[in-house]
Structure formats: structure tokens, C-alpha cells
Amino acid sequence: MSHPAPRMPQVPQPPVQAEAIRAALAQLAPHLLPDFDRDRAASTERARSEVSAIPLRAFSEAWAIEVAIVRHPETAERLHDLQIRLEQVSDLDEARKLTAEISRIRREAAAEAGIPTVGPAAW
């Protein structure tokens, strides 16, 4: 029995640059643009007050990972379901399992976005 080929995202993973990430979000998940813009403004203000590029780099990397997730609707839906379940779970072992799967998804998205992570506990 043959299986259909997995659907490839129609929007390529953008470079880790705010404008490219915003353009991808506008196509993939326009509902996230207000959050993106709010986070960008906060990161810009923080970068200015700290006289550091680190807040802007962290912002761009975090949103590049979000784009890598929303480029794959099944993955985005799975992550959302896991996060909801994690909010409701009371069993510690179940919480650990959910957290491990969330971490795996986010690490894979980081790799797709070209963002280095450090070991399995990076997320």
C-alpha cells in the first residue's frame, strides 16, 4: 500500500531576520502578527536600554522557531494540543512525558530554523 507523500510547506523557512520572519508569518499565521509586533517592540526597547543586541537576537531566533512550527500545520496542532494537556495534567510522570514531546518538537523546529540548541533540555 502506498502512502501519500507528506505535504511540503508552501512558504520557505525565512532567514533569522525580523522582516523576513514577519513576511512569512503574514502568509502562514497572520493572527500571530500582533504578538510578533508587540514582542519586537519590547525587544527593541530592551536592546536600547541594555545597549545590547542580545534581546533582538533572542527575539529573532524565538520567532524563527515559531515560523518553523507553523510551516507544518500538523506539528503546530500537535504542539497546541500538548500545551493544553500540560496545563490540565496533575500527574508528574504524564507532565514529564508531555514536556519531553514539546521539547522534541521545539528542538526539531529550531534545527529547521538553523538555531543551535544545547542538548535535550534546551527547551
Side-chain angles (χ1 to χ4, degrees), residues 10-69:
Q10 298 299 311
V11 176
Q13 180 66 34
V16 184
Q17 300 167 349
E19 287 306 316
I21 293 166
R22 191 177 196 291
L25 281 174
Q27 293 178 51
L28 294 165
H31 65 280
L32 294 177
L33 289 175
D35 292 336
F36 175 89
D37 291 339
R38 183 190 65 243
D39 290 353
R40 185 179 191 182
S43 296
T44 300
E45 181 59 33
R46 187 170 170 212
R48 285 182 183 142
S49 70
E50 295 176 8
V51 189
S52 172
I54 292 172
L56 292 173
R57 184 172 3 132
F59 159 80
S60 294
E61 289 178 353
W63 278 97
I65 291 168
E66 293 308 311
V67 168
I69 292 167

Side-chain angles (χ1 to χ4, degrees), residues 48-96:
R48 285 182 183 142
S49 70
E50 295 176 8
V51 189
S52 172
I54 292 172
L56 292 173
R57 184 172 3 132
F59 159 80
S60 294
E61 289 178 353
W63 278 97
I65 291 168
E66 293 308 311
V67 168
I69 292 167
V70 299
R71 287 179 65 237
H72 304 280
E74 302 84 14
T75 301
E77 184 176 335
R78 176 71 179 148
L79 180 60
H80 179 72
D81 291 346
L82 290 166
Q83 291 168 329
I84 289 172
R85 286 177 51 203
L86 185 59
E87 291 174 5
Q88 300 168 347
V89 72
S90 59
D91 178 70
L92 184 58
D93 286 335
E94 182 65 16
R96 285 180 177 145

